[in-house]
Amino acid sequence: MKIEKIKLDDIKRCYCASNINMNGENHVMFASEDPNVLCEMFSGRNFEKKEKIWETPGGCMSIIPIPGKEGEFLAVQEFYLKVSPSLSKIVWGKYTDHGFEIKDVQHMPYIHRFDIYHKNGVNYFIGATIATSKTCKDDWSVPGRIYVGQLPEDLNEGISVEVLADGLYRNHGYWHDQDNGEDVGYFGSDQGIVKVTPPAKLGGQWSVELIMQGTIGEIATIDIDNDGEKEIMTIEPFHGTEIKIYKKIDGKYQEVYRYDNEIEFAHTLVGCKLRGVNTFLAGVRRKDAEIFYVQFVDGKYQTTVIEKGVGPANLAVVNEADRDIIVAANHTMNEAAVYVVTD
């Protein structure tokens, strides 16, 4: 397996790494957590085409395409832990002949991570606030929440949401997965990992299940050892110093792997396929500031470092027919980059 890096641009405190498919082509997107740094999109075989999505503001960790809406997405803007009261909001991007038009949709204090689930023709919104209120950056006295709602056909109407779960301190971790072809989500906080499932039909009840306790900063899942049941990779605790893999043994998740390098400020995890192999991908923002992946080879967990010194805040993986693309918001290096993975 060969991995080649392409640096796309300098982006101060690059924070968001995402992808939107338009006209049958993948377009990778990057945004900053800094208040006054632009958001950009790159496309083309070598991502040589660059377009500006917005100039300001920043504070964006999540950009999510809207299912069934070509060239449309929702994104977080103005998530700043140092600003109180919170300015965080959901915005709507729509691609036009003049590029993306961006409109405010919903003010949601401390909204940090969100997603859109599509089920039975309905687009459901689900979002996590890292806290409900704060007096300063280091105030964690008020827990975060998980909110859910239905996306209207016309997003100018805003999104009506209700609280699905409360009492989740440092509600930072999130992973989107599928069970039997249906969307599910995993949220990580100081209370552990909560699994949520959309209702079977419109107007029905969401399922909420605590599947593991612990101080969880991030989560990803993949069946890394190909035994038919998915394992969980975690960062522990919030912005943590440990990266582990848990396997369900006798009905309970038990630790089976721990990354043995000393780390500081681990921040991003992905469960993915790299050239068809089930893989965990991880990024650390400080100390060695590395990107690495873990695979299960010949009965053992094998760890490979892709690059040090870059410090990704977020990673995303896009699988194409002849290659895979690792989209990397390299926060420490202040750069937007992709890593092209080929056989």
Side-chain angles (χ1 to χ4, degrees):
M1 192 166 67
K2 179 182 177 182
I3 301 178
E4 178 184 4
K5 180 181 181 180
I6 305 174
K7 177 181 174 179
L8 301 178
D9 206 351
D10 296 312
I11 297 181
K12 182 181 178 182
R13 300 174 75 195
C14 195
Y15 201 46
C16 175
S18 190
N19 176 76
I20 188 169
N21 191 281
M22 297 192 296
N23 299 317
E25 183 181 12
N26 289 311
H27 296 60
V28 296
M29 300 184 288
F30 300 88
S32 172
E33 70 169 325
D34 196 76
N36 298 301
V37 179
L38 80 171
C39 175
E40 292 182 318
M41 177 174 74
F42 300 83
S43 60
R45 177 66 181 176
N46 295 308
F47 304 99
E48 66 277 2
K49 302 174 187 175
K50 179 171 73 173
E51 294 183 64
K52 179 178 64 181
I53 299 177
W54 66 67
E55 283 274 6
T56 59
C60 176
M61 184 163 165
S62 303
I63 301 176
I64 306 295
I66 302 175
K69 301 281 188 178
E70 174 86 5
E72 297 188 36
F73 64 76
L74 295 181
V76 170
Q77 284 185 345
E78 300 199 74
F79 174 85
Y80 312 124
L81 275 181
K82 295 181 181 179
V83 176
S84 185
S86 176
L87 303 174
S88 300
K89 60 186 178 180
I90 299 293
V91 300
W92 170 30
K94 185 175 182 178
Y95 198 73
T96 71
D97 292 338
H98 308 289
F100 277 103
E101 293 181 354
I102 308 296
K103 295 182 178 180
D104 290 359
V105 174
Q106 197 89 8
H107 173 61
M108 297 186 72
Y110 299 106
I111 184 75
H112 187 44
R113 307 291 289 274
F114 79 93
D115 210 342
I116 304 169
Y117 301 162
H118 184 78
K119 190 169 186 177
N120 298 328
V122 179
N123 282 333
Y124 293 100
F125 174 89
I126 185 163
T129 58
I130 199 166
T132 303
S133 65
K134 295 173 75 70
T135 58
C136 64
K137 178 184 176 182
D138 296 322
D139 175 16
W140 298 103
S141 62
V142 183
R145 295 170 173 169
I146 300 172
Y147 292 88
V148 293
Q150 180 185 346
L151 290 190
E153 185 64 27
D154 182 2
L155 281 164
N156 291 300
E157 299 174 5
I159 309 169
S160 178
V161 297
E162 61 183 18
V163 176
L164 178 66
D166 202 347
L168 304 173
Y169 290 86
R170 295 179 178 87
N171 187 30
H172 181 269
Y174 175 70
W175 177 248
H176 181 164
D177 202 355
Q178 290 202 328
D179 275 356
N180 300 316
E182 295 190 343
D183 291 328
V184 297
Y186 296 87
F187 291 85
S189 69
D190 287 357
Q191 279 54 59
I193 300 176
V194 171
K195 179 182 178 181
V196 300
T197 307
K201 59 182 179 180
L202 187 62
Q205 295 294 312
W206 288 73
S207 168
V208 180
E209 178 187 5
L210 179 66
I211 64 166
M212 195 173 87
Q213 293 183 327
T215 51
I216 307 298
E218 279 296 333
I219 320 106
T221 64
I222 196 79
D223 180 9
I224 192 169
D225 59 6
N226 296 292
D227 70 345
E229 189 160 19
K230 294 179 181 179
E231 284 69 49
I232 299 175
M233 177 174 266
T234 64
I235 290 171
E236 300 178 37
F238 170 68
H239 288 172
T241 57
E242 295 181 313
I243 296 176
K244 305 176 182 179
I245 295 174
Y246 291 89
K247 181 177 181 62
K248 187 176 278 189
I249 301 172
D250 297 329
K252 182 179 180 180
Y253 284 104
Q254 300 183 33
E255 180 185 328
V256 292
Y257 166 94
R258 183 179 301 211
Y259 183 51
D260 60 9
N261 193 39
E262 184 180 352
I263 57 177
E264 182 183 352
F265 210 133
H267 199 268
T268 181
L269 302 176
V270 179
C272 61
K273 287 184 180 292
L274 291 181
R275 306 315 301 144
V277 179
N278 288 351
T279 303
F280 280 120
L281 182 69
V284 181
R285 278 175 52 178
R286 293 182 185 161
K287 204 173 184 302
D288 288 352
E290 67 266 46
I291 302 175
F292 69 92
Y293 65 87
V294 181
Q295 295 177 334
F296 195 73
V297 180
D298 297 328
K300 297 180 180 180
Y301 296 95
Q302 179 176 293
T303 304
T304 303
V305 175
I306 296 174
E307 187 176 16
K308 293 183 178 182
V310 290
N314 279 289
L315 300 165
V317 174
V318 183
N319 299 120
E320 297 184 342
D322 61 340
R323 63 181 188 171
D324 301 318
I325 307 298
I326 300 172
V327 188
N330 286 338
H331 186 281
T332 303
M333 189 63 77
N334 295 304
E335 69 177 12
V338 295
Y339 298 82
V340 180
V341 186
T342 54
D343 294 324

